[in-house]
Amino acid sequence: MNLNGDPVPGSHWLLPSAAPVVRAGLCSLAQPSLRQARHTPRFLFHEACLLLVAAGRLDLHDGSHQTTVDTPSCLLLVQAHTSADLMKTPGSGGQPFRSVLLALSPELLEAFHRTRAQPAALPLDEQAFRQLPLDDDLQDALRQVLASVPSPTLSDERLRYRLMDLLAALAERGHLLRRAGPPGTASRLRTLIAQAPQQHWTAHSAGSALAMSEATLRRRLAGEGVRFEELLVDTRMHHAMLLVQTTGWSLQHIAQACGYQSRARFSERFRARFGYSPSALR
């Protein structure tokens, strides 16, 4: 309800506030919230995502394509590995910006593509992100998934069926999220770090986890134009950005969850990456 007692548009999409929920091998769910407009440069959607803006406005620009989402009656599809500048703007009447972000694992998308009777019948979206209207049937499928992800009593098997139904509903409307294809070394490393950003990662320990030597890891990353230390910091800062916008945790707690014992060092890294301190988002 707003100050006049009227329903707030999009409020029916919002679940109880909580830290992001991860269902390994299936999906993750987060609900970012901001009370003031903020620009996020070069935000990486590492996995394919479905994004709904419940309140406020989201502007995205990936260098060639720009779109604005400002209504909960539309769903934004974002392809995996999309890097875009984001501008989140709160709504009128003091409403904070609120969104729902559902990230879909590569394993889930691969399984969905394998089940399609005619995998080549529907062309894949070439654009990095695309809007589509939410009709009643698609809303029902999405709502069921959003309610299911945080449920501690729902098995992974049942959640998988509900996610597959949502992907099928999207395909019926002419939209397919691309399968990720074989991941490169940088993508594998980012996934590894994102699963435990608080861990004390070194090139040696990460290489061991990926079944290669440190020298091999660094050589393969160099071949993809990536440095281990830069990817480590960037992955942790993306995680930090999500935690700052989705939890009420203290900045010290968020710093530790991202692998930093020093809040000052954490804030310095955050400012260097995004251009403002994490406290500016609170």
Side-chain angles (χ1 to χ4, degrees):
M1 296 285 182
N2 60 20
L3 295 178
N4 296 320
D6 300 321
V8 175
S11 60
H12 59 281
W13 285 107
L14 301 176
L15 302 170
S17 297
V21 178
V22 178
R23 300 289 290 261
L26 294 173
C27 65
S28 63
L29 176 64
Q31 297 184 87
S33 176
L34 278 174
R35 294 192 174 279
Q36 53 186 318
R38 282 295 172 188
H39 172 245
T40 304
R42 308 184 315 282
F43 184 86
L44 178 64
F45 295 88
H46 183 54
E47 296 179 328
C49 295
L50 305 181
L51 194 155
L52 185 142
V53 174
R57 189 183 76 201
L58 174 66
D59 295 288
L60 302 90
H61 188 264
D62 69 349
S64 60
H65 179 219
Q66 184 168 352
T67 194
T68 296
V69 189
D70 58 3
T71 172
S73 64
C74 286
L75 185 65
L76 183 72
L77 278 64
V78 186
Q79 301 288 358
H81 309 304
T82 293
S83 179
D85 291 342
L86 311 182
M87 185 67 191
K88 297 178 179 179
T89 306
S92 59
Q95 292 182 60
F97 170 89
R98 296 290 300 274
S99 65
V100 180
L101 180 67
L102 179 69
L104 305 172
S105 74
E107 297 90 342
L108 179 76
L109 291 181
E110 182 64 30
F112 177 73
H113 279 270
R114 287 200 304 268
T115 63
R116 288 184 56 77
Q118 296 177 312
L122 186 63
L124 299 179
D125 286 339
E126 294 300 323
Q127 292 182 338
F129 39 83
R130 180 184 298 275
Q131 286 191 69
L132 70 154
L134 272 173
D135 57 55
D136 290 343
D137 178 62
L138 186 55
Q139 281 195 48
D140 289 343
L142 178 61
R143 195 185 308 279
Q144 187 173 50
V145 166
L146 297 183
S148 300
V149 174
S151 172
T153 60
L154 191 81
S155 67
D156 284 353
E157 182 179 6
R158 291 179 63 199
L159 176 58
R160 180 184 297 273
Y161 284 127
R162 294 179 185 185
L163 287 163
M164 288 290 196
D165 180 63
L166 176 58
L167 290 172
L170 292 172
E172 288 176 356
R173 289 154 179 79
H175 298 279
L176 275 180
L177 290 162
R178 293 192 293 265
R179 62 209 318 172
T185 301
S187 180
R188 292 176 62 203
L189 178 59
R190 186 178 287 273
T191 297
L192 176 69
I193 295 171
Q195 291 171 346
Q198 77 286 353
Q199 187 169 319
H200 178 62
W201 289 108
T202 65
H204 176 76
S205 63
S208 296
L210 295 175
M212 65 183 76
S213 68
E214 176 181 346
T216 299
L217 174 63
R218 290 190 181 276
R219 182 174 65 253
R220 291 183 179 178
L221 290 176
E224 297 178 21
V226 178
R227 293 181 65 250
F228 172 81
E229 291 76 13
E230 292 175 352
L231 187 145
L232 173 62
V233 171
D234 194 64
T235 304
R236 284 174 164 172
M237 290 304 103
H238 273 74
H239 186 58
M241 175 64 77
L242 199 59
L243 291 180
V244 172
Q245 295 183 56
T246 59
T247 73
W249 296 355
S250 69
L251 292 184
Q252 180 63 43
H253 188 178
I254 292 175
Q256 292 173 348
C258 296
Y260 293 89
Q261 296 305 310
S262 167
R263 173 179 163 176
R265 181 63 169 166
F266 164 71
S267 295
E268 176 185 322
R269 291 289 195 185
F270 193 97
R271 182 186 292 276
R273 173 60 181 84
F274 298 114
Y276 44 82
S277 68
S279 60
L281 296 173
R282 292 294 177 85

